[in-house]
Amino acid sequence: MENFNPKSEFYIRMNKYYLDKPGKKPYTNMKIETIIAEITDAKLNKGAKKIRDYYILQKYDVLTVAEKKYLIHKKTDDKDDIKICKIESTEDFCDLCKTNQKIEEEREAAHIGQNKAAKRMLQVIIPTFNINDCITIPVPKVDRGPLDPTRIIAVIVEKRNELYRVKTEHGLIKGWLSSGNMQRTTSYFISANQVDKQNELTLRETVKIISGGQGFLSCTCKSACQTKRFACFKSSIKCNSRCHNSLNCLNK
């Protein structure tokens, strides 16, 4: 036993296995336990059996020795010896095979975890709203300035395929919105009769009107900033520190 090399012994046994059964891998412990459970269920099933049940009952059987179950091949002849379905064990395989078995077990556990996560996602309740419901909708950071509101009040005026068209006091919001980020208000702050149905605005334009702030608009004038050549003056808003450092600016 002094010259025993586990790695060499492993490859010798594996080569012998694949020579006897080319293209077939040995069963894992988990696979054998699954087949044993299938055989037990098939035997207990007194109703109609599946094709899989007939297959495993014809090919395999379960041998119980000292409360331990073994998966065996059924005899084709009375003279045949009992053949136990070989599994990876410390007697026949080295640690490399144990690692492969552990990888398969981890994959199976990951698959079970994915199924649980999918079930939890399906149980998430997506809120639904009706026409004339008063709601608040979030304003993304890219559509508001530092002092602009993070949410605005609106009312639902149209519903189609779980998408909603909303309006504010200043006009209709362009596009259709989903209900994922909407929140129903505790009171009816505005109604459908109060909204401007003729004016259609983007979310950024609506926030700018509500807050009266500068938003993202700025200019780089170096003079008095009193003509429409400059963005701030043209939009009738005051310049601020983000625009320039000109002391001559009169649009402040």
Side-chain angles (χ1 to χ4, degrees), residues 9-10 13-14 86-94 97:
E9 184 67 14
F10 169 77
R13 290 177 180 270
M14 288 297 293
K86 208 63 177 176
I87 61 174
E88 296 98 329
S89 64
T90 54
E91 298 177 359
D92 296 326
F93 295 93
C94 68
C97 204

Side-chain angles (χ1 to χ4, degrees), residues 29-149:
N29 287 326
M30 184 177 294
K31 179 68 174 178
I32 289 180
E33 290 174 2
T34 302
I35 296 176
I36 290 175
E38 288 179 340
I39 292 174
T40 304
D41 294 339
K43 287 182 177 180
L44 295 175
N45 183 16
K46 296 181 180 180
K49 291 182 172 58
K50 300 178 182 178
I51 297 177
R52 170 71 176 173
D53 296 337
Y54 287 112
Y55 171 78
I56 59 176
L57 289 175
Q58 183 180 3
K59 188 173 182 180
Y60 302 106
D61 204 348
V62 179
L63 176 65
T64 304
V65 179
E67 298 183 355
K68 186 174 182 180
K69 294 182 179 180
Y70 296 90
L71 183 65
I72 62 173
H73 290 277
K74 277 197 170 181
K75 291 183 178 181
T76 56
D77 192 346
D78 293 335
K79 297 180 181 179
D80 292 341
D81 295 329
I82 295 176
K83 296 180 181 179
I84 298 177
C85 296
K86 208 63 177 176
I87 61 174
E88 296 98 329
S89 64
T90 54
E91 298 177 359
D92 296 326
F93 295 93
C94 68
D95 293 338
L96 179 60
C97 204
K98 292 181 184 179
T99 302
N100 292 336
Q101 178 184 347
K102 191 171 182 180
I103 290 173
E104 290 189 11
E105 292 174 354
E106 293 294 336
R107 286 175 177 170
E108 183 67 22
H111 180 66
I112 294 172
Q114 285 181 337
N115 289 337
K116 290 181 179 179
K119 290 180 181 179
R120 285 197 298 267
M121 291 178 65
L122 292 174
Q123 292 174 355
V124 175
I125 300 175
I126 300 176
T128 57
F129 301 93
N130 299 318
I131 296 176
N132 294 329
D133 281 352
C134 189
I135 59 167
T136 62
I137 55 177
V139 182
K141 287 186 177 180
V142 296
D143 291 326
R144 57 182 170 87
L147 300 178
D148 291 336

Side-chain angles (χ1 to χ4, degrees), residues 128-195:
T128 57
F129 301 93
N130 299 318
I131 296 176
N132 294 329
D133 281 352
C134 189
I135 59 167
T136 62
I137 55 177
V139 182
K141 287 186 177 180
V142 296
D143 291 326
R144 57 182 170 87
L147 300 178
D148 291 336
T150 58
R151 302 185 74 90
I152 60 174
I153 299 173
V155 62
I156 296 175
V157 294
E158 193 174 350
K159 178 180 178 180
R160 184 187 302 169
N161 297 329
E162 301 303 326
L163 295 175
Y164 302 88
R165 203 80 190 272
V166 301
K167 289 184 179 181
T168 65
E169 293 178 339
H170 307 283
L172 179 68
I173 301 294
K174 290 183 178 179
W176 293 79
L177 305 178
S178 64
S179 62
N181 295 324
M182 293 182 182
Q183 291 183 3
R184 186 178 281 104
T185 59
T186 56
S187 302
Y188 285 87
F189 296 100
I190 59 174
S191 63
N193 298 328
Q194 294 178 266
V195 301

